[in-house]
């Protein structure tokens, strides 16, 4: 069965510095991988997705992630953090075939300090 | 386009009581999901519908939880009787097609507190 591990439950950065949110996955088959963001009292929003095309995926708001099969990783990065990036981020995996259900990680809370 | 609508926004009940949540997906979205998000955890899939048929309900506690999607549009999720551990945010999501092709659109959720 597929699963994801988000290596940090909390990440704190200063505004204008780089962001790195780490995610490792486990999947028996070719996975699709996603990052979702959840702002306080808001619904989950898709940031970006990997579905076996280019390994470097660009998303909204300047975020990107790189699929590394050899490391089973899908880390989320952003060159320069903005105050509005403060939120909870979820790494998500889905396997091809069947119901293609999404399996969420436990989340990483990003704090951006002025 | 209008987003996924959920109601109520908040609900407080006592244990052993019943509760129902309602979801109206984005128009035309064939796939509908109910997720449970316990505080400090990621969302966990409870049930997935394709039109009005169930695709996956392997993690739905069927002794107390039930869900239906009449006419392949709106859906309700019911808990009867509720337990303390059911306190969570219940999220509804919908998608046009498979997740590899179409993103999930989430509602704002219903926050349930069981006392």
């Amino acid at each position: 069965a597929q699963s994801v591990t988000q290596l940090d439950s909390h990440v704190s950065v200063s505004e204008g510095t780089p962001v790195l949110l780490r995610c490792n996955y486990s999947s028996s088959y070719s996975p699709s991988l996603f990052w979702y963001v959840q702002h306080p009292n808001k619904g989950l929003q898709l940031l970006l997705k990997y579905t076996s095309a280019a390994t470097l995926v660009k998303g909204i708001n300047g975020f990107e992630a790189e699929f590394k099969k050899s490391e089973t990783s899908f880390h989320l990065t952003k060159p320069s953090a903005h105050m509005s990036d403060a939120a909870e981020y979820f790494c998500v995996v889905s396997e091809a075939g069947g119901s293609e259900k999404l399996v969420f990680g436990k989340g990483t809370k990003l704090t951006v300090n002025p | 386009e209008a987003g996924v609508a959920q109601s109520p926004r908040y609900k407080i009940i006592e244990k052993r009581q019943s509760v129902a949540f309602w979801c109206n997906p984005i128009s035309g979205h064939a796939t509908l999901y109910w997720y449970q998000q316990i505080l400090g955890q990621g969302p966990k899939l409870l049930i997935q519908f394709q039109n009005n048929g169930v695709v996956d309900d392997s993690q739905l506690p069927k002794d107390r939880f039930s869900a239906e999607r009449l006419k392949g549009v709106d859906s309700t999720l019911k808990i009867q009787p509720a337990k303390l551990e059911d306190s969570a945010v219940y999220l509804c999501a919908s998608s046009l097609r498979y997740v590899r092709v179409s993103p999930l659109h989430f509602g704002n959720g219903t926050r349930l507190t069981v006392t």
Side-chain angles (χ1 to χ4, degrees):
Chain A
Q2 68 269 38
S3 66
V4 290
T5 301
Q6 292 185 244
L7 299 170
D8 307 292
S9 58
H10 289 88
V11 170
S12 182
V13 301
S14 298
E15 190 175 21
T17 64
V19 175
L20 170 63
L21 305 183
R22 299 181 295 165
C23 173
N24 287 116
Y25 70 91
S26 172
S27 176
S28 302
Y29 304 102
S30 298
S32 292
L33 292 157
F34 310 79
W35 277 97
Y36 277 81
V37 61
Q38 188 174 36
H39 288 94
N41 298 313
K42 295 281 185 67
L44 285 151
Q45 180 184 21
L46 179 67
L47 271 181
L48 49 80
K49 68 177 180 181
Y50 165 78
T51 56
S52 76
T55 56
L56 182 62
V57 181
K58 295 188 183 299
I60 61 173
N61 300 332
F63 284 94
E64 62 182 37
E66 186 171 8
F67 174 73
K68 292 186 176 180
K69 187 174 182 179
S70 60
E71 299 176 10
T72 60
S73 69
F74 190 58
H75 301 334
L76 182 70
T77 61
K78 183 173 180 177
S80 176
H82 192 272
M83 296 296 290
S84 60
D85 294 329
E88 185 104 26
Y89 291 80
F90 294 94
C91 183
V92 186
V93 66
S94 173
E95 285 186 349
S99 66
E100 293 197 347
K101 71 179 182 183
L102 300 184
V103 176
F104 283 73
K106 292 188 175 182
T108 298
K109 184 175 181 179
L110 176 65
T111 300
V112 182
N113 302 305
Chain B
E1 67 181 0
V4 176
Q6 290 189 247
S7 67
R9 189 77 176 89
Y10 304 93
K11 190 73 177 179
I12 300 174
I13 61 172
E14 296 181 351
K15 60 183 179 183
R16 292 188 289 274
Q17 285 187 324
S18 302
V19 65
F21 313 126
W22 173 82
C23 172
N24 180 235
I26 293 174
S27 178
H29 281 197
T31 311
L32 184 146
Y33 312 76
W34 282 102
Y35 281 86
Q36 179 193 56
Q37 185 176 16
I38 293 173
L39 186 64
Q41 298 182 21
K44 181 184 82 171
L45 179 68
L46 292 176
I47 189 167
Q48 177 182 343
F49 292 94
Q50 182 73 18
N51 295 309
N52 59 347
V54 175
V55 175
D56 187 334
D57 63 356
S58 58
Q59 297 190 94
L60 186 74
K62 299 181 185 63
D63 58 334
R64 298 184 301 106
F65 285 65
S66 64
E68 61 181 5
R69 189 181 186 196
L70 298 176
K71 299 181 181 179
V73 183
D74 292 6
S75 177
T76 56
L77 176 69
K78 297 180 181 178
I79 307 175
Q80 180 179 17
K83 293 185 176 181
L84 295 176
E85 58 261 36
D86 298 331
S87 294
V89 176
Y90 290 85
L91 297 166
C92 180
S94 69
S95 65
L96 185 61
R97 296 182 61 190
Y98 299 115
V99 296
R100 285 174 172 254
V101 177
S102 309
L104 262 65
H105 296 261
F106 283 85
N108 288 337
T110 296
R111 184 177 298 276
L112 173 67
T113 302
V114 182
T115 63

